[in-house]
Amino acid sequence: MPRTTTYTVTVQFGDCDPAGIVFFPNFSRWMDAASLAFFMDCGVPPWRELVKTRGIVGTPMLEINTKFMKTLTYGETITITTHIEEWREKAFIQIHKVTRARDSGDDVICEGREVRVFVKRDPVDPDRLRAIPVPEDIRRMCS
Amino acid sequence: MPRTTTYTVTVQFGDCDPAGIVFFPNFSRWMDAASLAFFMDCGVPPWRELVKTRGIVGTPMLEINTKFMKTLTYGETITITTHIEEWREKAFIQIHKVTRARDSGDDVICEGREVRVFVKRDPVDPDRLRAIPVPEDIRRMCS
Amino acid sequence: MPRTTTYTVTVQFGDCDPAGIVFFPNFSRWMDAASLAFFMDCGVPPWRELVKTRGIVGTPMLEINTKFMKTLTYGETITITTHIEEWREKAFIQIHKVTRARDSGDDVICEGREVRVFVKRDPVDPDRLRAIPVPEDIRRMCS
Amino acid sequence: MPRTTTYTVTVQFGDCDPAGIVFFPNFSRWMDAASLAFFMDCGVPPWRELVKTRGIVGTPMLEINTKFMKTLTYGETITITTHIEEWREKAFIQIHKVTRARDSGDDVICEGREVRVFVKRDPVDPDRLRAIPVPEDIRRMCS
């Protein structure tokens, strides 16, 4: 079984829209937080340190697919369960499952499937980010 | 050809992350703005009026898939081109193509494919939102 | 001494800007969360229940003053300490002190002073919000 | 009269909270956009260029005071009028006035007063930002 971490969020008033439910881009924001928390829980330093020691700036997204099953409002607490489903040479698939605890069993609120890459700055044009092969040591720490 | 609208965004400093590029949930936020702008450009009143006249609260998301082709930073202006690709009985597929104008032809920055539904509040439990069949008149205005 | 509550936030990558520090409007967002958490910790129901039982929609801001002492980056955890400094007939002053724990004593990151009012919807024009006198029972619970 | 610029925002659905009005931290976000737009309209390059040519990372906030006069909802368009009220040796006071056009004269929605500084990275510890004297040429361009 792959390494799996959990990340908890309590939904705030300002996270919700005039319909009274979570404005959906906030789920992407929380999944991004869960993604970084996953790496840090696995022992990977934060990007601001990796950029100094190894030039790694972060893990930008190539693609994200999110399915929404239930709505959510403020005051509720959710758990995001995160693991990496697949490692490719230059990308990885990270899965986030968002649930709400219920006495009668957990509600699944939504699920995200992200394709991400590790990037460094281009040595010639530092404004460009370049995907690098998945670092072997990071892969080992996170599998 | 289906009705197509455009929506323009200038990327702000605060939309970008420590890597200097747009924090990706902002693309979902802009696509949501483009989605509502599409309906309003087609002549549909804003949700806050439709909720009073017809009980329609909005068009929550069932699923969103976004592909990211290029990064973007602040000070740049993007155009979101929006249309509805498919109408189902109780859902519709809305496509958003995000481009940046270039002398040498447009850069495609990212593309989103959203599955959305029209909802009303449940008459028994107004905290619950219920999908309704796509209103025929709205469909006609937006096709 | 007035009732005082604490609210904890871990700063995320996406909360930071291209300078690598928290994009300052996020502090307002967290103070708003701390404001509502204060009321709920004092036993006041969330606004979505108060709107049904008493018509109270929330506590919009009349004025906010924030002083920034130190910068903050992602991965750091802050504590927001909240109390109400003054109750007026139709407004109250809420203070939020944001600190970061240090071995050598806490760093003060920023401080917010908010003037807020309780509001109901105008019975004639429900799109308008009207300030009401501070409810005596809520004042007692929060003092 | 000091240089004055204007910046326009159309309020989006996702900018509003469950009370149906703009979630107030968004005003800070728009004022920050208006602040940078002011400098760029005055001919100052974006920070991402100034950081390369002169080491200037941006203009973080020391203090912000915002007064809210009227509420606002989505679909409405606002104009932010920005100028610098006072230049100090190491700080400047920037004023943002947010109005909504009305046939009967403009509504003032809110007003912000920001104290900001120009910063560079500390040469010894690049994670620290240091305020510098207001650059004379920038002051001239913006007065």
Side-chain angles (χ1 to χ4, degrees):
Chain A
M1 247 203 61
R3 292 272 319 235
T4 300
T5 62
T6 60
Y7 178 80
T8 298
V9 174
T10 299
V11 179
Q12 301 303 330
F13 182 79
D15 298 328
C16 297
D17 65 22
I21 58 172
V22 171
F23 183 55
F24 75 91
N26 287 316
F27 285 110
S28 297
R29 188 161 63 80
W30 297 325
M31 288 181 191
D32 192 70
S35 175
L36 180 50
F38 170 85
F39 286 110
M40 293 177 70
D41 287 354
C42 291
V44 179
W47 313 135
R48 72 172 177 278
E49 288 179 26
L50 277 186
V51 73
K52 290 178 204 160
T53 54
R54 302 171 59 175
I56 297 173
V57 170
T59 52
M61 198 76 75
L62 293 191
E63 183 172 350
I64 176 169
N65 191 76
T66 312
K67 287 191 176 69
F68 301 91
M69 286 78 163
K70 286 185 185 264
T71 61
L72 199 66
T73 189
Y74 61 97
E76 298 188 298
T77 296
I78 52 174
T79 299
I80 307 182
T81 306
T82 298
H83 73 279
I84 291 180
E85 190 186 65
E86 184 189 336
W87 296 92
R88 298 179 186 163
E89 200 201 317
K90 277 204 172 182
F92 60 92
I93 314 291
Q94 200 171 33
I95 306 291
H96 306 283
K97 191 169 168 184
V98 179
T99 55
R100 172 178 49 190
R102 286 290 188 213
D103 292 342
S104 51
D106 291 356
D107 277 347
V108 179
I109 304 297
C110 64
E111 276 188 4
R113 182 184 180 278
E114 301 174 339
V115 184
R116 291 175 177 263
V117 286
F118 289 89
V119 296
K120 294 187 177 181
R121 297 205 172 277
D122 185 300
V124 177
D125 176 2
D127 281 347
R128 295 183 81 94
L129 301 172
R130 295 280 180 204
I132 58 167
V134 170
E136 189 48 41
D137 58 329
I138 294 184
R139 178 180 170 154
R140 237 176 299 121
M141 293 167 90
C142 303
S143 294
Chain B
M1 246 203 62
R3 293 271 319 236
T4 300
T5 62
T6 60
Y7 178 80
T8 297
V9 174
T10 298
V11 179
Q12 302 303 330
F13 182 79
D15 297 329
C16 297
D17 64 22
I21 58 172
V22 170
F23 183 55
F24 76 91
N26 287 316
F27 285 110
S28 297
R29 186 161 64 80
W30 298 326
M31 289 182 190
D32 192 72
S35 174
L36 179 50
F38 169 87
F39 287 109
M40 292 177 70
D41 286 354
C42 290
V44 179
W47 312 137
R48 70 172 177 278
E49 289 179 27
L50 277 187
V51 72
K52 289 178 203 159
T53 54
R54 299 170 61 174
I56 296 172
V57 170
T59 53
M61 199 76 76
L62 293 192
E63 184 171 351
I64 177 169
N65 190 75
T66 313
K67 288 191 174 67
F68 301 90
M69 286 79 163
K70 286 184 185 264
T71 61
L72 199 68
T73 189
Y74 62 97
E76 299 188 298
T77 295
I78 52 174
T79 298
I80 307 182
T81 307
T82 297
H83 72 279
I84 290 179
E85 190 186 64
E86 185 188 336
W87 297 92
R88 299 181 185 162
E89 201 203 317
K90 278 204 171 180
F92 60 92
I93 314 291
Q94 200 170 33
I95 306 292
H96 306 283
K97 191 170 167 182
V98 180
T99 55
R100 172 178 48 191
R102 289 286 190 216
D103 292 342
S104 52
D106 291 355
D107 277 348
V108 180
I109 303 297
C110 64
E111 276 187 3
R113 181 184 180 279
E114 301 174 340
V115 185
R116 290 175 178 264
V117 287
F118 289 90
V119 296
K120 294 189 176 178
R121 297 205 173 277
D122 185 300
V124 177
D125 176 2
D127 282 346
R128 296 183 81 95
L129 302 172
R130 296 280 179 204
I132 58 168
V134 170
E136 190 47 40
D137 59 330
I138 294 183
R139 178 180 169 154
R140 236 177 298 119
M141 295 166 89
C142 302
S143 292
Chain C
M1 248 202 61
R3 292 274 318 235
T4 300
T5 62
T6 59
Y7 178 80
T8 298
V9 174
T10 298
V11 179
Q12 302 303 330
F13 183 80
D15 298 328
C16 297
D17 64 22
I21 59 172
V22 170
F23 183 55
F24 75 91
N26 287 316
F27 285 110
S28 297
R29 188 161 63 80
W30 297 326
M31 287 181 192
D32 192 71
S35 175
L36 180 49
F38 170 85
F39 287 110
M40 292 177 70
D41 287 354
C42 291
V44 179
W47 313 135
R48 72 173 176 278
E49 288 180 26
L50 277 187
V51 73
K52 290 178 204 160
T53 54
R54 300 171 60 174
I56 297 172
V57 169
T59 53
M61 198 76 75
L62 292 192
E63 183 171 352
I64 177 169
N65 190 75
T66 313
K67 288 192 175 69
F68 301 90
M69 286 78 164
K70 288 186 184 263
T71 61
L72 198 67
T73 190
Y74 61 97
E76 298 188 298
T77 296
I78 52 174
T79 299
I80 307 181
T81 306
T82 298
H83 73 278
I84 290 180
E85 190 187 63
E86 185 189 336
W87 296 91
R88 298 179 187 163
E89 200 201 318
K90 278 204 172 182
F92 59 92
I93 315 291
Q94 200 171 34
I95 306 292
H96 306 283
K97 191 170 169 182
V98 179
T99 55
R100 173 178 48 191
R102 287 288 189 216
D103 291 342
S104 51
D106 291 356
D107 277 348
V108 179
I109 303 299
C110 64
E111 276 188 4
R113 181 184 180 278
E114 302 174 339
V115 184
R116 291 175 178 263
V117 287
F118 289 89
V119 295
K120 294 187 176 180
R121 298 206 173 275
D122 185 301
V124 177
D125 175 2
D127 281 347
R128 296 184 81 94
L129 302 172
R130 295 279 179 206
I132 58 168
V134 170
E136 189 47 41
D137 59 330
I138 293 183
R139 177 180 170 154
R140 235 175 300 120
M141 293 167 90
C142 302
S143 294
Chain D
M1 246 204 60
R3 293 272 319 237
T4 300
T5 62
T6 60
Y7 178 80
T8 297
V9 174
T10 299
V11 179
Q12 302 303 330
F13 182 78
D15 297 329
C16 297
D17 64 21
I21 58 173
V22 170
F23 183 54
F24 75 92
N26 287 316
F27 285 109
S28 297
R29 187 161 64 79
W30 297 327
M31 288 181 190
D32 192 71
S35 175
L36 180 50
F38 169 86
F39 287 110
M40 293 177 70
D41 287 355
C42 291
V44 179
W47 311 137
R48 70 172 178 279
E49 288 180 26
L50 278 187
V51 73
K52 290 178 203 161
T53 55
R54 300 170 61 173
I56 297 173
V57 170
T59 52
M61 199 75 77
L62 292 192
E63 184 172 350
I64 178 169
N65 189 75
T66 313
K67 288 191 174 67
F68 302 90
M69 285 79 163
K70 286 185 185 265
T71 61
L72 198 68
T73 189
Y74 61 98
E76 299 188 298
T77 295
I78 52 174
T79 299
I80 306 181
T81 306
T82 298
H83 73 279
I84 290 179
E85 191 186 65
E86 185 189 336
W87 296 91
R88 299 181 185 163
E89 202 202 317
K90 278 204 171 181
F92 60 92
I93 314 292
Q94 200 171 33
I95 307 291
H96 306 283
K97 191 170 169 182
V98 180
T99 55
R100 172 179 49 190
R102 288 287 189 215
D103 291 342
S104 52
D106 291 355
D107 277 347
V108 179
I109 304 298
C110 64
E111 276 188 5
R113 181 183 180 278
E114 301 175 340
V115 185
R116 289 175 178 265
V117 287
F118 289 90
V119 296
K120 294 188 176 179
R121 297 206 173 278
D122 185 301
V124 178
D125 176 3
D127 282 346
R128 295 184 80 94
L129 302 171
R130 297 279 179 204
I132 58 168
V134 170
E136 190 46 42
D137 60 330
I138 294 183
R139 177 179 170 156
R140 236 176 300 118
M141 295 167 90
C142 303
S143 293

